[in-house]
């Protein structure tokens, strides 16, 4: 059963979700952006140690708090790590007032019918059981839609909700994330198909069951308003999808009821060479900008 205070925060409180969940494939790029070159480390273990240090620096910065950051999505290794001597999920909620989520997907399958579904997750139940023990509130899993193929999009949404029901069975709240690529030549058409498929799945959920949706900022402002208003939806959050932070925040500001859940756009100005004061000043400015783009009301 989801924690009532955390559920209220995710349902009602203003703010946004920080996506701190870069995994194996995206970690080198995130480190390069931070100012750590590939030649500065060797092997996955050292790479993930450096990434964990960066994430802990973000989470422990004075500006990173539940005042404006209502949730944070973690990579599995981050969930298992510590911040200031405490398990990261406990530190986030107890010390910072930030609701912890866990990225659970294992990456994307090869493209078929214009989409990439998630790879199989045979150990998901064990991971979810571990997440519950660590105080995780919910999960996130990503698929990608490259073209407006009805068969492909239906497959993505079906898989997302099937796994979502498995997650709900553990008392966790799933973030359903069928990302439409911002580079798609048929982005607007894909969004129309996607919205209809999501509504079908939402309508089929049992009474009282609710999920979070994480979607690419739509081409047409407020296109996802019916999803924002759906009784089975806790929140609709927006991924930055490769837009710069300025572009993502500007586009998001026209979509009432959607809030940000940014990854690269959150960290794009942070550098390992900054002093702690410079780091927090930069992070605070970023948080304020993303928060401002997330405050439109329904």
């Amino acid at each position: 059963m989801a924690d009532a205070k955390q559920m209220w925060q995710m349902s009602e409180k203003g703010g946004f979700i920080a996506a701190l969940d870069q995994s194996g494939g995206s970690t080198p790029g995130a480190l390069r952006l931070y100012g750590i070159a590939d030649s500065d480390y060797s092997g996955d273990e050292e790479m993930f140690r450096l990434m964990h240090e960066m994430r802990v620096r973000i989470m422990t910065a004075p500006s990173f708090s539940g005042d404006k950051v209502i949730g944070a999505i973690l990579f599995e290794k981050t969930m298992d790590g510590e911040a200031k001597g405490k398990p990261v999920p406990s530190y986030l909620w107890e010390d910072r007032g930030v609701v912890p989520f866990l990225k659970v997907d294992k990456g994307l399958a090869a493209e078929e019918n214009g989409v990439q579904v998630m790879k199989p997750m045979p150990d998901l139940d064990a991971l979810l059981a571990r997440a519950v023990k660590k105080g995780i509130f919910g999960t996130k899993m990503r698929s990608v839609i490259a073209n407006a193929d009805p068969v492909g999009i239906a497959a993505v949404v079906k898989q997302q909700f099937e796994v979502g029901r498995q997650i709900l069975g553990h008392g966790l709240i799933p973030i359903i994330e069928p990302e439409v690529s911002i580079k798609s030549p048929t982005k607007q058409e894909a969004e129309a198909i996607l919205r209809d498929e999501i509504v079908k799945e939402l309508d089929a959920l049992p009474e009282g069951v609710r999920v979070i949706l994480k979607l690419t900022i739509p081409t047409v402002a407020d296109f996802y308003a019916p999803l924002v208003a759906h009784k089975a939806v806790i929140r609709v959050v927006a991924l930055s999808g490769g837009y710069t932070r300025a572009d993502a925040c500007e586009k998001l500001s026209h979509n009432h009821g959607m809030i940000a859940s940014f990854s690269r756009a959150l960290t794009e100005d942070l550098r390992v060479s900054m002093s702690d004061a410079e780091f927090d000043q930069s992070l605070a400015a970023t948080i304020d900008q993303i928060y401002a783009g997330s405050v439109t009301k329904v």
Side-chain angles (χ1 to χ4, degrees), residues 2 7 101-102 104 128 137-141 160-177 202 205 209-214 232-235 237:
M7 178 63 84
F101 290 81
L102 174 67
V104 296
L128 295 173
F137 174 79
T139 64
K140 189 211 85 160
M141 55 210 173
Q160 282 276 340
F161 276 85
E162 281 177 352
V163 178
R165 285 188 284 272
Q166 186 178 353
I167 291 160
L168 286 159
H170 286 261
L172 296 165
I173 301 298
I175 298 178
I176 306 286
E177 185 184 5
L202 291 173
L205 289 174
V209 172
R210 300 171 76 202
V211 301
I212 296 171
L213 301 175
K214 182 168 179 174
V233 175
I234 295 167
R235 227 40 179 291
V237 305

Side-chain angles (χ1 to χ4, degrees), residues 33-36 57 269-276 278-279:
L33 186 66
Y34 186 45
I36 297 175
R57 196 178 187 193
D269 292 339
L270 303 178
R271 299 294 180 269
V272 67
S273 57
M274 289 175 166
S275 69
D276 287 347
E278 290 169 335
F279 185 91

Side-chain angles (χ1 to χ4, degrees), residues 2 7 63 92 101 104 113 132 138 161 170 187 237 245 254 292:
M7 178 63 84
S63 58
L92 279 173
F101 290 81
V104 296
N113 295 321
V132 170
F161 276 85
H170 286 261
K187 180 174 180 283
V237 305
R245 182 172 66 247
H254 299 289

Side-chain angles (χ1 to χ4, degrees), residues 44-267:
D44 285 355
E45 189 174 339
E46 195 173 355
M47 176 182 75
F48 285 124
R49 178 184 62 78
L50 291 167
M51 195 72 222
H52 184 69
E53 289 175 1
M54 173 186 169
R55 289 169 176 151
V56 169
R57 196 178 187 193
I58 292 169
M59 290 184 282
T60 57
S63 58
F64 191 89
S65 77
D67 289 343
K68 292 178 180 175
V69 183
I70 60 173
I73 304 168
L74 308 174
F75 177 48
E76 184 179 345
K77 286 182 180 291
T78 312
M79 175 186 77
D80 291 335
E82 292 189 347
K84 294 203 170 179
K86 295 179 76 167
V88 166
S90 301
Y91 174 78
L92 279 173
W93 179 241
E94 294 168 10
D95 293 53
R96 312 304 288 163
V98 176
V99 177
F101 290 81
L102 174 67
K103 167 189 156 68
V104 296
D105 69 80
K106 300 301 180 186
L108 301 167
E111 185 173 320
E112 187 176 347
N113 295 321
V115 304
Q116 289 176 277
V117 298
M118 296 179 287
K119 289 180 179 176
M121 293 174 267
D123 301 322
L124 181 58
D125 281 319
L127 177 59
L128 295 173
R130 210 152 54 79
V132 170
K133 288 182 179 177
K134 287 183 175 285
I136 293 290
F137 174 79
T139 64
K140 189 211 85 160
M141 55 210 173
R142 172 176 172 261
S143 313
V144 174
I145 296 165
N147 280 296
D149 185 304
V151 173
I153 294 173
V156 158
V157 176
K158 182 183 180 202
Q159 183 194 40
Q160 282 276 340
F161 276 85
E162 281 177 352
V163 178
R165 285 188 284 272
Q166 186 178 353
I167 291 160
L168 286 159
H170 286 261
L172 296 165
I173 301 298
I175 298 178
I176 306 286
E177 185 184 5
E179 174 181 348
V180 177
S181 171
I182 64 170
K183 297 176 182 176
S184 172
T186 52
K187 180 174 180 283
Q188 187 172 344
E189 295 89 336
E191 289 163 350
I193 299 167
L194 177 63
R195 187 179 70 176
D196 289 347
E197 291 295 331
I198 290 175
V199 168
K200 286 181 201 172
E201 290 285 354
L202 291 173
D203 288 346
L205 289 174
E207 188 68 30
V209 172
R210 300 171 76 202
V211 301
I212 296 171
L213 301 175
K214 182 168 179 174
L215 305 171
T216 308
I217 302 168
T219 304
V220 177
D222 283 335
F223 185 73
Y224 291 134
L227 303 180
V228 173
H230 198 287
K231 65 180 181 179
V233 175
I234 295 167
R235 227 40 179 291
V236 178
V237 305
L239 56 98
S240 50
Y243 292 125
T244 65
R245 182 172 66 247
D247 282 349
C249 289
E250 199 281 328
K251 291 176 187 297
L252 178 60
S253 69
H254 299 289
N255 288 272
H256 298 76
M258 287 183 79
I259 64 170
S261 177
F262 294 169
S263 175
R264 190 185 60 78
L266 174 67
T267 60

